[in-house]
Amino acid sequence: MQEQLDQLRTAFAEALEAATDTGALAAVHHRWLGAKGELRTLFGQMKQLPAEQRPAFGQAVNALRGDLEQAFFAKQESLRASVSADAIDLSRPGPRLHTGGLHPLAQVQDRIIEVFTSMGFTVNEGPEVETEYYNFDALNTPFWHPARRDSDSLYIEDGHMLRTETSPVQIRTMQKRRPPLRMIAPGRVYRNDKPDATHSPMFMQVEGLAVGHGLTFAELKGTLLEFYRRLFGRDTKLRFRPHFFPFTEPSAEVDVSCVFCRGAGCRVCKQSGWLEMGGSGMVDPEVLKEVAIDPEEYTGYAFGLGIERMAMLLYGVDDIRLFYENDLRFLRQF
Ligand code: DAH
């Protein structure tokens, strides 16, 4: 009997010695100390012994169990301690990975492009560093126009400037393409403005231009109405207010019914029920002549809309500066 106990003790010691990781250690525990392990089997054999031998046997097995457990826990501790601080701990939760995303203005720009391309408009681009010719002269803006002052516009040198509007892309496009044409040009523009909740020296516009046979003011209004309905919902209304722009005649400012109160009047629309979105009009014959398009044969309409304004309304953002501060707590919400 003692022999059997000694054998078990030796086999256990060898197995424990050979175990070098937690998996092997668990297997050792299972085989000898587990609920159906070898020690249990030994206890089970006690019934076969004559009654007077049982107490001594029980004591011996219990003592053995104490020894094995002690050896086991000691080994477990030493294994734990030997795992150095920089070893890979596969049980640890992994680091959180942040995925990148599109800037909210890029998302709105994508949506604008989607809607207008579905209506047959192409997407065109022009440089952000423009010449005064494209930004003003070709757009029928006289030299004395207040927008040309350096209190309003940012000049570089040699007649170059940061474009103040996306309208110069109209000229560049008409120089390259003959009518009929329908294009939009989303992009950044720059003005000599102090930043506040509604102004940023850099902001975005989307320009639109259509030139063809017999295009009318009604088509301009219908196009903008459909655009805003796709953006803000089918019940959106559109309103034109008479205005003046050097490059359109007649010209109109574009209002949409307030996206928050649906026209009833609220804080955002200052109780008017309407929100200003941009400018529009019929392309001035002088502009068509500048790019050698005959205004007797062709007419055109144009518009220039603020992209931040749309983003602020779509996402409920009340300060334009948030789009340019790149605070990740803001950007991660989109
Ligand atoms: N360029 C004008 C601005 O920045 C907006 C504008 C108005 C563009 C009327 C147009 C237009 O194409 O027809 O204030």
Side-chain angles (χ1 to χ4, degrees):
M1 191 57 72
Q2 187 58 42
E3 205 176 307
Q4 205 182 351
L5 296 188
D6 287 343
Q7 261 174 21
L8 199 150
R9 186 188 292 274
T10 312
F12 175 82
E14 277 167 10
L16 196 63
E17 175 73 34
T20 53
D21 59 45
T22 49
L25 204 59
V28 169
H29 191 276
H30 181 76
R31 168 144 184 226
W32 277 280
L33 299 167
K36 290 180 183 158
E38 307 232 350
L39 265 180
R40 269 301 154 114
T41 315
L42 218 51
F43 267 118
Q45 289 170 5
M46 195 149 64
K47 282 180 270 160
Q48 297 157 17
L49 288 176
E52 68 278 7
Q53 289 183 21
R54 284 182 199 167
F57 182 77
Q59 263 172 18
V61 176
N62 263 331
L64 177 62
R65 184 177 62 189
D67 291 348
L68 298 196
E69 279 178 355
Q70 208 183 347
F72 178 83
F73 290 126
K75 174 81 183 196
Q76 194 173 43
E77 267 316 299
S78 81
L79 254 190
R80 266 201 202 122
S82 74
V83 176
S84 66
D86 59 355
I88 298 171
D89 177 358
L90 294 176
S91 67
R92 252 183 98 190
R96 227 174 112 187
L97 297 178
H98 287 290
T99 50
L102 287 179
H103 190 279
L105 292 177
Q107 292 185 38
V108 173
Q109 176 178 290
D110 284 353
R111 179 80 186 116
I112 293 167
I113 289 173
E114 192 179 297
V115 173
F116 277 115
T117 53
S118 81
M119 294 197 273
F121 287 74
T122 61
V123 181
N124 289 66
E125 269 183 66
E128 291 175 27
V129 174
E130 258 300 1
T131 61
E132 284 188 64
Y133 172 75
Y134 283 107
N135 198 85
F136 290 129
D137 299 322
L139 287 162
N140 197 37
T141 310
F143 71 92
W144 47 261
H145 195 279
R148 300 185 74 142
R149 287 195 288 242
D150 56 12
S151 59
D152 288 30
S153 298
L154 296 160
Y155 290 92
I156 301 171
E157 56 190 14
D158 307 334
H160 284 84
M161 61 184 300
L162 296 178
R163 68 179 181 190
T164 59
E165 53 192 5
T166 42
S167 305
V169 190
Q170 289 188 28
I171 305 297
R172 290 181 177 277
T173 304
M174 286 189 287
Q175 283 177 341
K176 279 185 293 220
R177 285 168 54 192
R178 297 283 91 189
L181 64 89
R182 267 188 286 187
M183 58 77 91
I184 58 163
R188 291 192 191 89
V189 301
Y190 302 83
R191 288 187 196 173
N192 197 3
D193 282 335
K194 271 218 177 66
D196 63 25
T198 54
H199 294 86
S200 164
M202 177 178 80
F203 61 101
M204 293 188 75
Q205 291 185 329
V206 56
E207 194 74 16
L209 170 73
V211 184
H213 287 291
L215 290 184
T216 66
F217 211 60
E219 181 157 344
L220 164 63
K221 196 171 182 185
T223 301
L224 289 176
L225 179 62
E226 177 59 19
F227 167 67
Y228 282 117
R229 285 189 165 167
R230 298 262 289 269
L231 204 65
F232 294 134
R234 299 309 303 177
D235 57 345
T236 304
K237 294 189 187 67
L238 190 91
R239 176 172 88 169
F240 273 177
R241 272 179 299 106
H243 202 74
F244 175 83
F245 295 105
F247 31 85
T248 44
E249 182 59 34
S251 305
E253 280 202 310
V254 185
D255 293 349
V256 298
S257 51
C258 180
V259 303
F260 291 106
C261 63
R262 298 280 148 200
C266 69
R267 195 179 55 85
V268 176
C269 61
K270 300 197 182 74
Q271 309 306 327
S272 73
W274 295 95
L275 299 165
E276 277 183 42
M277 303 303 295
S280 68
M282 299 305 291
V283 181
D284 195 293
E286 291 303 319
V287 173
L288 294 177
K289 278 190 225 158
E290 186 66 28
V291 289
I293 292 175
D294 182 0
E296 298 296 328
E297 187 181 351
Y298 293 104
T299 56
Y301 62 79
F303 51 85
L305 315 170
I307 292 185
E308 283 82 358
R309 192 74 207 268
M310 297 181 218
M312 289 168 85
L313 297 170
L314 283 171
Y315 297 128
V317 173
D318 63 4
D319 193 324
I320 192 173
R321 289 169 294 191
L322 288 165
F323 291 122
Y324 292 105
E325 284 164 355
N326 285 330
D327 185 330
L328 288 176
R329 291 170 302 178
F330 174 74
L331 295 179
R332 283 202 179 115
Q333 298 178 59
F334 298 92

